[in-house]
Amino acid sequence: MADSSFDIVSKVERQEVDNALNQAAKEISQRYDFKGVGASISWSGEKILMEANSEDRVNAVLDVFQSKLIKRGISLKALDAGEPQLSGKEYKLFAEIKEGISQDNAKKVAKLIRDEGPKGVKAQVQGEELRVSSKSRDDLQTVIALLKGQDFDFAVQFVNYR
């Protein structure tokens, strides 16, 4: 019998991020506490740009955006927000959406699976994802449960389970 396998990835649905951003922009334009402070949120190339006239307001814009991401099922670990920076009279904050598992993180996950996972489970790094395979589907379920219990500094999803 062939091995069963699944992939561990760190991907974000771009459309869901776009929807969250649009919802945040709409809420910011309608909320009373954002009136007259020049608060805005928009795409700036591949980054997300948040602007307001004070550091507190730009952090509040980030907070609104984060709440919209959570409601859409996107992990905040995928959001990499910088520090607010003064630019003229405006404060700007750039945020990026992180995708893919770095080589170092992939090696850490593979080592964790080797050390704490069931025997006979193999993990191999394939670019920005990790393929986990075993003869037993129950062992794969055990590995998924093990990884869900861990607190990584990146978002993980399990795909291609077969």
Side-chain angles (χ1 to χ4, degrees), residues 29-54:
S29 70
Q30 293 175 346
R31 268 181 42 181
Y32 180 76
D33 58 336
F34 286 118
K35 293 278 187 238
V37 296
S40 68
I41 182 170
S42 61
W43 285 105
S44 173
E46 284 296 307
K47 294 184 177 184
I48 297 162
L49 170 64
M50 292 163 260
E51 296 178 299
N53 65 0
S54 75

Side-chain angles (χ1 to χ4, degrees), residues 4-55:
S4 299
S5 68
F6 68 90
D7 294 334
I8 302 171
V9 296
S10 182
K11 291 195 170 135
V12 175
E13 189 79 32
R14 173 77 180 210
Q15 186 61 49
E16 289 296 323
V17 174
D18 205 34
N19 291 343
L21 186 124
N22 291 335
Q23 285 178 337
K26 186 173 181 181
E27 183 175 321
I28 289 164
S29 70
Q30 293 175 346
R31 268 181 42 181
Y32 180 76
D33 58 336
F34 286 118
K35 293 278 187 238
V37 296
S40 68
I41 182 170
S42 61
W43 285 105
S44 173
E46 284 296 307
K47 294 184 177 184
I48 297 162
L49 170 64
M50 292 163 260
E51 296 178 299
N53 65 0
S54 75
E55 193 171 344

Side-chain angles (χ1 to χ4, degrees), residues 1-161:
M1 183 171 149
D3 283 1
S4 299
S5 68
F6 68 90
D7 294 334
I8 302 171
V9 296
S10 182
K11 291 195 170 135
V12 175
E13 189 79 32
R14 173 77 180 210
Q15 186 61 49
E16 289 296 323
V17 174
D18 205 34
N19 291 343
L21 186 124
N22 291 335
Q23 285 178 337
K26 186 173 181 181
E27 183 175 321
I28 289 164
S29 70
Q30 293 175 346
R31 268 181 42 181
Y32 180 76
D33 58 336
F34 286 118
K35 293 278 187 238
V37 296
S40 68
I41 182 170
S42 61
W43 285 105
S44 173
E46 284 296 307
K47 294 184 177 184
I48 297 162
L49 170 64
M50 292 163 260
E51 296 178 299
N53 65 0
S54 75
E55 193 171 344
D56 292 340
R57 285 283 160 241
V58 83
N59 283 327
V61 171
L62 175 63
D63 195 45
V64 169
F65 181 54
Q66 287 175 335
S67 71
K68 298 301 178 191
L69 286 175
I70 290 170
K71 282 184 182 172
R72 294 214 151 264
I74 298 171
S75 172
L76 292 183
K77 292 177 181 176
L79 181 69
D80 184 21
E83 291 296 315
Q85 299 166 341
L86 185 61
S87 173
K89 291 184 178 179
E90 293 271 305
Y91 277 88
K92 294 184 177 187
L93 192 149
F94 286 98
E96 281 185 276
I97 302 296
K98 295 187 293 187
E99 288 192 311
I101 302 173
S102 70
Q103 289 291 325
D104 291 341
N105 287 335
K107 286 177 184 174
K108 286 178 192 170
V109 173
K111 183 174 180 352
L112 178 76
I113 291 170
R114 272 195 315 275
D115 293 347
E116 297 182 27
K119 298 286 181 241
V121 176
K122 295 188 285 293
Q124 33 191 202
V125 179
Q126 296 181 335
E128 292 189 338
E129 58 185 47
L130 200 68
R131 163 91 24 106
V132 180
S133 58
S134 172
K135 293 201 182 310
S136 164
R137 285 179 169 246
D138 291 342
D139 288 350
L140 293 181
Q141 293 288 345
T142 306
V143 169
I144 290 175
L146 170 73
L147 295 177
K148 282 185 177 178
Q150 298 295 317
D151 186 30
F152 297 114
D153 58 348
F154 54 95
V156 294
Q157 294 89 27
F158 307 103
V159 296
N160 295 340
Y161 185 84

